Amino acid sequence: MASCPHIASSDITPPKPADAVYREDCTLCFDGIDDSAGLDVCLHCFNGACSGERVHSRLHAQQFKHPLALNIKRTRKRKEREDGQPPEKMTKLAVQAETEEDRYDMHTDVHCFDCALGGIEQEGKLADVVNGVMQANTFATDAEVQAWEQEMVPCCGRKNYMGMGPPGNGHQVEHNTSTAHPVAVKLGSLTAEGNADIHCYACDEERTDPELVAHLANWAIDIAGRVKTEKSVLEMQLEHNLSYDFSMTTADGRELKALFGPALTGLKNLGNSCYLNSVLQSLFSMPEFEQRYYRPDEPLPPLDKPAEDLEVQLRKIADGLLSGRYSVPDKSIASFNEAQEQPYQKGLAPAMLKHLVGKGHPEFSTMRQQDSFELLLHLLKLITRSQQAARGQYKDVADPVEAFRFVMEQRLQCLNCKKVRYSQDDMENLSVAVPIKRSPQSDTPMTDSEKEEKKEEFEPVSLKQCLDDFTAAEVVELKCASCDHSGFTKQSLFKTFPTILAINARRFELVNWVPTKQDVPVIVGDEILDFEVYRSKGKQSDEEALPDDADTGAGTGGVTSGTAFVANEMALEMLMSMGFPKVRCEKALRATGNSDAEVAAAWLFEHMEDPDIDTPIDVGDGSGALGGSVVDADKIESLGNMGFSAPQARQALKETGGDIERAVDWLFSHPDATGDFGDDEVPATTPSATAGEPPASTAAAAVDTRPAKFALSSIVCHKGASIHAGHYVAFVKKELLGSEGGGAGWVLFNDEKVALGGNVEEMKKFAYIYFFRREGV
C-alpha cells in the first residue's frame, strides 16, 4: 500500500452532521459512483466530482488545492427476472423493501493528485475520514429526510389517529397501556448532536424532545460520543417511498417501446418529485432552454459550492437530458427472454436542482406532491432572477423565459357614456377555467353498489371554447367617474403573442366546500391553432378615452397612491357567498387584480394552507405596502446587492408597494427603467409619456404583427383527484430518427422511463399544462 505526505500535512476531518457529502454524483455533471471510473469525493470539502473523461475531480483538486480524494465505485448485484412470462398489466404499486447493501457492492480507493498516487493505505486519521464519508447520509438523502412531509413537533399529548402504528409485536404499546409510559426513544438512532427517533404512543406520532440530553442524563446516558447505528423512522420511510417498482404497459399487457439517445433521458422520482420531472422535460425540449444551458464546450469558472449555484445546476440538467450520454438501458436489469424489449433507463437524480428550487419555499422545500403549474411559475421566476448574475460571468446570456412573455390588453367600456380605458399587463401564461358539465345519467337501473362504483362522467369541451370564454366580454359592476353610472364591459385580448404559450387548464369545483379536480375531457388536436381572433385591435379612432382621474378601480389592484386597498364589492360578495371568510377574500382579490372572483377563488384554493392566510391586510401607511416603509435603506441595499442601482431599486419598490419580491420581478421585466432619483436628483433622460395613456410595459412597446398561429409541442398530464396527490408525466412532440421511422412523434416521459407514444390522445384530454409553440419562430 502506498503512503502520502499530504495526509499528515492536510487538516482533514470526518464530515460533521451539518456537512453536505456529495458521494453519489458529480456536482457538475451526472457521472457518478455507478460509472466505471467511479466518483471522487474530496476529503477536504466533500465535494463530489467525476474521475472519468471529464476529469472534474482533477480540476477541483487543482483549483482549490485539495489533493486528497476518495474514489467510490458501486456495482449492482445481479438480479434476474424470475419467470419468462410477459409482464402483467400494472394494477397497483408494489413495494420492495431492499436496502443499499442488498443491491450493491461498494469499492473504495484513496488517491492523491499531487503525488499521483493511488491505493493509499486507509489507517489512522485517514481511515476515520473515509469511514465518516461512507457512513454519512448522501447530500440527496439528507435533503430529502429534512424535507419529508412528516412534521416533527414536541410532544403535547394530542390524540392523533393518523400515525403509522407500532412495528413488530406491539410490545411497546402494551407497555404504554399497562404503565402509562408513552414516550420511547430509539437508542440506535441517537447522535452526538442530540437527534433521535422519539415516538409518543399517546399521540401515536413521531415527536421531538427539546430536553432530550437532560432527560437521557437521568438514565446515565451520555450522548456526547454517541454514533448512530440505526436508521431513523424518517430515513426508513424515505427508503420505503423510493422503492416502488412498476412498469408501463399497453392495454394488452405489452411494455411500451423504450427510447434512447440525445434529448431522450429520464429523471428519477426522488419521492413525489414527478411534478418537477415533467416540467423539466417540457422546458428542456424547447430550443430557448437548450441554447441557454446546453454548453458542453464552455468551461465553468471555479466555484466553492457548485451544488448551490442555479446556473451550474441548470447546465448540469441540460447536459444530462440533452447530451444522450446517460440515455442508455439500465444494465443492472437483465432481460428475462430474447423477445423482451430493452429495459428502461436508470434515470438521472435531479436532487441538487430540486434542493435549490425548493430552498426557502414553504411547499417546494418539502417532499410532498406539489402543483406542477405553480412549480413552473416559481422555476421561471428563479431563472429570470439568475440572469443578472450570469451576465457578469458568461457570454451570450439571454433569458429563456422571454419566450413565454406576452402582453394582455384589457378594455373597459362604460355601458352608459361609452368611454373606454385600455390597460396592459405583462404575462407569462394563461390559466383558463374549464366548463364543468356532467353527462346525462343513464336510465338503466343500477344497484347501490354499482352506483358507488360508477365513475362520474363529464361532457367534453374544446380548448377553443375555454379560450373563447376567457377572452369574451363580460359585464362588471364598476362606477364610472365620468358619467356617474355603474356598469362596464370588460374584455381581455392579446396585445402581443409569445413564442411559447403555456396554458393551465383548471378543472376544479367546490364539492362539499372542498376544491376537487374533475376529469373533464378537453379536446385538443395536433392541428395549427389560429389565435388571430384573440388579438386586441387597441384603441380605435372613434373611441373616447376616460379622463385620467376617472378611477374605475380596475387595472390597479384597488391600490392607488395615497389610498388604502378597497376590495371590489361584487367580487367580494361572490367569494363570501362561496363560504370563504372576508379576510381571505380580500387577500385573494388584492393578489389577483381585484376584479375577477373566479381567478381570486382559484388563488384561494392554492393558498388555503398559507400560515398567514387569515392575517388581515395591513396598509396603514396608505401606500399599499403590507406593513413597513415602502422605500427604506435596507430594501434598497438588498436590491443593490443584486446589481441594481439605487434609483432603479427606489422606482421598483414604489411600483410594487414596497414588496421586495415583487420589486425584483418588476426590475427584471423592466430592464430599461430609468429609475426614481428622488427630489434632489434628476435623471439624464426623462421618458416621455402620452397624456391620457397608461404607462406601457417593456413588452408592450414592441409591435407584434406576425401571424398568431400555434401548434401543441408538449403537455404535462396529471392523474389523481388533487393536484397535490396522484402522478404527473410529460408528453413531448419530437423528431424521431433511425429505428423509429423518422418524422414527428409523441414521446412519453414518465420519470426515468422514456417510451414511444403511449395513449397520448387520451392523455391530451386530461392535460394540466399545455405548451404551444408559435409557428415560424
Side-chain angles (χ1 to χ4, degrees):
M1 300 290 285
S3 62
C4 169
H6 294 95
I7 296 172
S9 61
S10 298
D11 185 22
I12 58 173
T13 59
K16 301 178 180 62
D19 291 333
V21 178
Y22 300 94
R23 63 173 176 87
E24 285 192 322
D25 60 341
C26 177
T27 55
L28 299 180
C29 70
F30 281 101
D31 290 4
I33 59 177
D34 295 321
D35 296 308
S36 59
L39 181 81
D40 283 347
V41 176
C42 175
L43 295 181
H44 304 263
C45 66
F46 312 116
N47 178 70
C50 59
S51 58
E53 61 186 37
R54 295 187 168 186
V55 296
H56 288 147
S57 178
R58 182 176 296 279
L59 289 174
H60 173 83
Q62 293 171 347
Q63 291 171 349
F64 297 99
K65 301 188 183 307
H66 290 173
L68 297 171
L70 172 66
N71 182 265
I72 307 174
K73 296 178 185 177
R74 185 173 70 176
T75 56
R76 178 87 183 201
K77 294 179 179 178
R78 201 69 175 173
K79 179 183 177 183
E80 301 286 343
R81 299 195 185 191
E82 296 179 355
D83 55 44
Q85 299 300 317
E88 295 181 1
K89 183 177 179 181
M90 183 186 70
T91 58
K92 63 181 180 180
L93 301 180
V95 177
Q96 298 178 340
E98 285 186 310
T99 65
E100 187 175 58
E101 292 77 12
D102 294 330
R103 295 190 294 264
Y104 301 103
D105 290 318
M106 306 294 286
H107 311 275
T108 62
D109 175 59
V110 177
H111 56 260
C112 175
F113 286 102
D114 286 358
C115 298
L117 284 176
I120 297 175
E121 188 171 0
Q122 300 177 24
E123 61 180 4
K125 176 174 70 171
L126 180 60
D128 292 339
V129 178
V130 171
N131 289 336
V133 169
M134 296 304 295
Q135 291 176 7
N137 274 343
T138 65
F139 163 79
T141 301
D142 207 35
E144 289 162 359
V145 169
Q146 292 177 26
W148 195 245
E149 64 182 351
Q150 183 172 0
E151 182 180 359
M152 304 294 284
V153 297
C155 179
C156 57
R158 291 179 299 149
K159 189 63 177 175
N160 189 332
Y161 293 96
M162 296 301 290
M164 292 182 63
N169 297 313
H171 294 156
Q172 187 63 39
V173 174
E174 295 173 6
H175 176 77
N176 170 51
T177 303
S178 61
T179 64
H181 295 169
V183 181
V185 61
K186 185 178 181 180
L187 294 179
S189 68
L190 280 170
T191 69
E193 290 70 36
N195 299 319
D197 252 10
I198 301 172
H199 192 87
C200 176
Y201 287 87
C203 301
D204 200 12
E205 284 283 13
E206 299 299 311
R207 297 301 190 197
T208 61
D209 181 2
E211 304 297 329
L212 178 62
V213 175
H215 291 161
L216 290 176
N218 292 329
W219 305 98
I221 299 176
D222 181 8
I223 70 170
R226 199 81 186 188
V227 177
K228 189 174 75 167
T229 60
E230 297 182 63
K231 292 180 180 179
S232 69
V233 168
L234 286 181
E235 289 167 343
M236 290 189 292
Q237 283 181 346
L238 178 60
E239 185 174 291
H240 175 89
N241 278 273
L242 296 181
S243 62
Y244 287 114
D245 183 20
F246 61 94
S247 63
M248 300 185 299
T249 58
T250 60
D252 59 359
R254 303 183 66 180
E255 288 192 13
L256 297 178
K257 181 176 179 58
L259 295 179
F260 307 93
L264 294 170
T265 307
L267 293 170
K268 281 184 180 177
N269 192 321
L270 304 176
N272 290 330
S273 65
C274 55
Y275 70 94
L276 172 65
N277 294 348
S278 57
V279 168
L280 289 175
Q281 294 288 6
S282 294
L283 290 181
F284 281 90
S285 70
M286 301 169 184
E288 291 78 9
F289 281 81
E290 177 179 353
Q291 294 163 10
R292 172 65 181 84
Y293 291 111
Y294 184 44
R295 302 183 175 193
D297 299 324
E298 182 179 345
L300 290 164
L303 294 168
D304 288 339
K305 298 180 179 180
E308 298 179 17
D309 187 285
L310 184 62
E311 174 79 17
V312 172
Q313 294 310 310
L314 288 169
R315 288 200 185 195
K316 176 178 173 178
I317 284 288
D319 176 75
L321 294 180
L322 303 175
S323 67
R325 63 186 280 121
Y326 307 103
S327 183
V328 294
D330 186 356
K331 296 179 182 178
S332 64
I333 301 177
S335 295
F336 61 85
N337 62 30
E338 295 181 357
Q340 171 65 30
E341 296 283 357
Q342 292 186 94
Y344 292 106
Q345 306 169 31
K346 182 170 62 177
L348 306 176
M352 297 177 197
L353 180 62
K354 183 180 185 297
H355 175 71
L356 275 182
V357 170
K359 193 173 183 179
H361 194 281
E363 295 298 331
F364 301 130
S365 61
T366 72
M367 290 298 291
R368 294 189 292 268
Q369 183 69 283
Q370 301 298 337
D371 184 336
S372 64
F373 183 64
E374 285 190 8
L375 182 278
L376 171 68
L377 304 187
H378 178 65
L379 182 57
L380 295 183
K381 180 189 295 185
L382 293 181
I383 289 173
T384 291
R385 289 181 180 180
S386 70
Q387 304 308 303
Q388 184 83 356
R391 290 188 180 100
Q393 293 181 295
Y394 309 102
K395 297 179 181 179
D396 303 323
V397 172
D399 185 1
V401 183
E402 188 62 37
F404 286 85
R405 297 192 176 115
F406 59 99
V407 177
M408 292 295 290
E409 186 165 71
Q410 184 186 87
R411 178 181 183 271
L412 285 170
Q413 183 175 39
C414 176
L415 292 173
N416 182 58
C417 68
K418 304 301 181 182
K419 293 180 181 179
V420 297
R421 167 168 292 176
Y422 286 83
S423 61
Q424 297 170 356
D425 292 306
D426 294 312
M427 307 284 285
E428 291 180 358
N429 64 83
L430 287 183
S431 184
V432 300
V434 176
I436 298 176
K437 186 176 181 181
R438 286 161 175 79
S439 299
Q441 295 292 327
S442 171
D443 295 333
T444 304
M446 291 187 294
T447 65
D448 291 341
S449 61
E450 288 175 335
K451 290 179 181 178
E452 291 179 2
E453 294 177 0
K454 182 177 174 57
K455 186 178 179 181
E456 195 169 25
E457 296 181 351
F458 301 88
E459 293 188 1
V461 60
S462 68
L463 182 63
K464 183 181 183 304
Q465 181 61 55
C466 299
L467 291 168
D468 289 346
D469 293 346
F470 179 82
T471 56
E474 60 178 321
V475 176
V476 293
E477 291 298 321
L478 299 172
K479 189 173 183 180
C480 179
S482 180
C483 68
D484 206 34
H485 281 73
S486 294
F488 278 78
T489 58
K490 183 186 76 170
Q491 185 176 28
S492 292
L493 294 168
F494 288 84
K495 182 68 174 178
T496 66
F497 291 93
T499 300
I500 303 164
L501 178 59
I503 300 180
N504 166 227
R506 304 197 314 268
R507 298 177 173 84
F508 298 95
E509 69 173 348
L510 283 177
V511 178
N512 296 324
W513 302 106
V514 176
T516 304
K517 175 176 171 281
Q518 305 292 16
D519 286 335
V520 181
V522 176
I523 308 302
V524 185
D526 286 343
E527 68 275 6
I528 303 298
L529 296 181
D530 193 344
F531 277 65
E532 195 63 39
V533 67
Y534 306 123
R535 189 192 295 269
S536 173
K537 297 178 181 179
K539 184 176 178 296
Q540 302 298 295
S541 58
D542 59 346
E543 291 180 332
E544 183 179 358
L546 285 164
D548 290 342
D549 58 352
D551 179 25
T552 64
T556 62
V559 181
T560 57
S561 179
T563 61
F565 172 74
V566 178
N568 181 303
E569 291 185 9
M570 183 176 181
L572 180 64
E573 183 179 348
M574 289 177 64
L575 289 170
M576 293 180 64
S577 69
M578 297 169 69
F580 296 113
K582 183 177 181 181
V583 169
R584 296 189 181 188
C585 298
E586 290 176 335
K587 185 164 289 189
L589 286 168
R590 187 182 192 278
T592 58
N594 198 34
S595 61
D596 193 321
E598 186 176 4
V599 174
W603 184 94
L604 276 170
F605 294 155
E606 297 168 358
H607 294 81
M608 293 178 79
E609 302 301 323
D610 288 2
D612 63 345
I613 188 65
D614 292 310
T615 304
I617 297 174
D618 178 11
V619 288
D621 62 356
S623 66
L626 295 176
S629 173
V630 173
V631 181
D632 62 34
D634 289 340
K635 294 176 181 177
I636 291 177
E637 182 180 0
S638 295
L639 292 172
N641 292 335
M642 300 180 192
F644 301 108
S645 67
Q648 287 176 316
R650 189 178 295 111
Q651 181 182 5
L653 289 167
K654 286 185 177 181
E655 291 284 350
T656 58
D659 187 321
I660 196 166
E661 287 274 325
R662 293 172 55 212
V664 172
D665 294 338
W666 188 92
L667 283 164
F668 280 118
S669 60
H670 297 78
D672 299 324
T674 305
D676 185 332
F677 288 77
D679 296 332
D680 300 325
E681 301 178 76
V682 179
T685 59
T686 303
S688 60
T690 304
E693 293 293 330
S697 68
T698 302
V703 177
D704 186 354
T705 59
R706 293 175 295 129
K709 297 182 183 296
F710 289 81
L712 188 64
S713 60
S714 64
I715 56 176
V716 172
C717 303
H718 174 262
K719 282 290 188 180
S722 167
I723 52 176
H724 297 288
H727 186 59
Y728 288 97
V729 299
F731 284 89
V732 179
K733 200 169 190 179
K734 290 182 176 288
E735 290 293 327
L736 299 174
L737 305 175
S739 61
E740 310 312 329
W746 286 96
V747 176
L748 167 61
F749 291 89
N750 180 3
D751 291 332
E752 76 278 7
K753 299 176 176 64
V754 181
L756 178 65
N759 197 355
V760 63
E761 294 303 321
E762 185 67 17
M763 293 300 291
K764 279 197 294 187
K765 297 177 183 178
F766 303 101
Y768 187 51
I769 309 173
Y770 299 90
F771 292 99
F772 289 88
R773 187 167 190 88
R774 195 171 186 176
E775 290 291 290
V777 180

